[in-house]
Amino acid sequence: MTTQPIAYPEDRDLIKFLFFSTFCLMVGTIHGVWQIQPPVREWLDSIGSPYGGPGHMIDPLAHAHMNLIGGVVTLCMAATYYMLPKITGVALWSRRLVFHTFWWTAIGLLGFYTTLMTFGVLEGNLLLAGDLEGMDEMHQLFKPVIATISTIMGVGFWVFFFNVFATIKKSYQKP
Ligand code: HEM
C-alpha cells in the first residue's frame, strides 16, 4: 500500500485540534443525553436548572461550553490556522502560538467543564440537604476557581486572535 506524501507537513500540529473537537462533541452529546433522562432531569430541575443555582452550572453552562468551545471553536481555530497561509500566501506568524492556542484553550475548557460539574453537584446536594450555609461557603470557593480557569481559557482565545492578526498584518506587508 503506497501512502501519499503529506501535502502540508507543517499543519500536522493541527491534528490535535481536530481530535479534541471530536472528543468534546462526544462528551458534550453524552452530557446532553444524560441530562434529559427523566431521573436526571428531575434532579437538575430540583437544583435550579436551567434558570439559576447549582443546576444552571450543569445545564446549560457546562453542556453549552463543552459543545461550543470544545467542539465548534477548536475546529474553527484549526480551520483558520489551516486556511490562512493558503489564502494569504504567508506562513503563520508563529507556530509556537498555535501550540499555545491549543493548550491554553483545551486545559481551560476541560477545567471550566470540570469545575462547573463538580461545584454543580456539590452545591446541588447541599441545597437538597437544606444546608444553605454550606452551599454558600462552597460557592465562595467556586468563585476564585472559576475565575482562574476562565482566564486560562481566555488566554487561548486571545493568543489565537494575536497570531491571526499578526499573520494578516504580515501578509499586507509582504513585498
Ligand atoms: C473564555 C471564554 C468564555 C468564558 C469564560 C465564558 C463564560 C460564561 C459564563 C460565566 C456564562 C454564564 C452567564 C450566566 O451566569 O448566565 C456563559 C454563558 C454562555 N456562554 Fe460562555 N464563556 C466563554 C466563551 C463562550 C463562547 C466562545 C461561546 C460560544 C461559541 C459561549 C457560549 C455561551 C452561551 C450560549 C451561554 C448562555 C448559556 C445559557 O445560559 O443558556 N461562551 N459563558
Side-chain angles (χ1 to χ4, degrees), residues 56 60-61 65 68-69 73 112 150 153-154 157:
H56 177 70
L61 286 190
H65 290 84
L68 287 171
I69 300 182
V73 170
F112 191 74
S150 297
M153 190 163 65
F157 282 84

Side-chain angles (χ1 to χ4, degrees), residues 63-106:
H63 181 239
H65 290 84
M66 178 53 77
N67 285 302
L68 287 171
I69 300 182
V72 179
V73 170
T74 49
L75 182 62
C76 296
M77 287 172 165
T80 305
Y81 276 149
Y82 179 80
M83 292 189 292
L84 204 51
K86 290 150 191 82
I87 296 170
T88 60
V90 299
L92 288 177
W93 190 78
S94 163
R95 297 283 346 172
R96 188 132 194 82
L97 290 188
V98 173
F99 174 91
H100 282 281
T101 301
F102 177 79
W103 287 109
W104 286 89
T105 307

